[in-house]
Amino acid sequence: MRLILLGAPGAGKGTQADILSATLNIPTISTGNILRAAMSEGTPTGLKAKEYVESGKLVPDDVIIDIIRERLAKDDCANGYILDGVPRTIPQAEAMEAMGIEIDKALSIEIEDETIVQRMSGRRTCKNCSRTFHVVSNPPKVEGICDFCGGELGIRKDDTAETVRARLKTYHRETEPLKAFYEQRGKLVKVDNQPTIEATTAEIKKVLEI
Ligand code: AMP
């Protein structure tokens, strides 16, 4: 399965990607996680990305295309992959097609903007492994500590209400047109966000027939 996850920031792409990745035994490639790791290591890519990521703007397409080219060439992608947060623009999708990157389905998780703004204020992210939790709907077993790696949980700099609104604007302008792009190619499937993570996973499994 070569899957793209589409949806606004906070739609639950990362959470569902982790679940699907374990179910299907294929890796999740998250450009957001790759960029955050590069930023904390202070690599040239990280330094280039920092101001964009922290202000909720998209990182330039050429940076993302290089990251994806390199990452998808690795052996663990041979049997499939889940792309979380990429492509984010039509030029990125076109560049991926031109590189010969195959896609089976593009899954859009549909959710209202206001639900996202409320949801993001409770999100907590592991500073070590990037897994996400929510203070109400998906709390860690021990407050402030990641269930998976024991890392410290924190609030992402770009999860503040003001930056979330900027990210939503960017989503509607730059990323939402990808739904039509993949619909034209017969690849688009949609699910509505459900009140619980498990219910959304169940809907996703239904539409993906897995
Ligand atoms: P995410 O973790 O997917 O919400 O991404 C966090 C931030 O990383 C975004 O707000 C962008 O600044 C940047 N980013 C991640 N993926 C992409 C992409 N495919 N294209 C451009 N910017 C991206």
Side-chain angles (χ1 to χ4, degrees), residues 6 22 29 54 96 101-102 122 142 151 168:
L6 294 173
I29 317 296
E54 288 185 352
M96 284 169 48
I101 294 171
E102 305 269 359
V142 179
L168 283 170

Side-chain angles (χ1 to χ4, degrees), residues 16-205:
Q16 297 298 337
D18 284 342
I19 295 169
L20 293 173
S21 168
T23 307
L24 299 169
N25 201 21
I26 50 176
T28 296
I29 317 296
S30 156
T31 40
N33 287 350
I34 292 170
L35 290 169
R36 278 184 290 278
M39 283 160 55
S40 66
E41 285 163 24
T43 67
T45 302
L47 294 176
K48 226 189 274 178
K50 193 170 163 51
E51 65 166 284
Y52 297 98
V53 173
E54 288 185 352
S55 61
K57 296 197 186 105
L58 291 183
V59 171
D61 289 331
D62 57 333
V63 176
I64 300 294
I65 291 162
D66 285 348
I67 290 175
I68 279 297
R69 181 185 291 115
E70 223 174 87
R71 182 64 189 84
L72 291 185
K74 296 203 171 149
D75 289 348
D76 64 336
C77 294
N79 295 325
Y81 37 78
I82 299 167
L83 299 179
D84 165 15
V86 68
R88 213 64 158 236
T89 64
I90 298 275
Q92 288 178 21
E94 286 171 346
M96 284 169 48
E97 269 189 356
M99 276 187 245
I101 294 171
E102 305 269 359
I103 293 302
D104 297 309
K105 295 231 161 78
L107 169 76
S108 171
I109 304 178
E110 308 277 313
I111 181 168
E112 297 287 326
D113 285 7
E114 266 323 295
T115 314
I116 287 177
V117 176
Q118 286 166 19
R119 186 188 270 194
M120 298 292 255
S121 65
R123 177 150 90 166
R124 300 292 179 268
T125 304
C126 177
K127 292 182 181 168
N128 180 47
C129 76
S130 296
R131 287 230 173 61
T132 55
F133 299 84
H134 190 277
V135 288
V136 179
S137 64
N138 181 28
K141 293 193 183 93
V142 179
E143 198 186 317
I145 304 290
C146 176
D147 289 357
F148 299 93
C149 74
E152 188 193 345
L153 301 183
I155 300 176
R156 263 170 54 177
K157 259 198 183 149
D158 59 344
D159 275 351
T160 58
E162 191 192 344
T163 312
V164 168
R165 287 191 199 282
R167 289 165 67 200
L168 283 170
K169 246 192 214 162
T170 307
Y171 167 75
H172 290 300
R173 195 180 57 234
E174 307 276 352
T175 308
E176 214 167 15
L178 287 173
K179 288 200 265 179
F181 182 92
Y182 287 109
E183 187 155 42
Q184 281 162 12
R185 286 154 179 76
K187 311 264 175 177
L188 184 73
V189 286
K190 290 186 198 173
V191 291
D192 285 326
N193 170 66
Q194 301 295 316
T196 65
I197 292 170
E198 294 75 20
T200 304
T201 305
E203 288 297 302
I204 290 176
K205 288 186 171 172

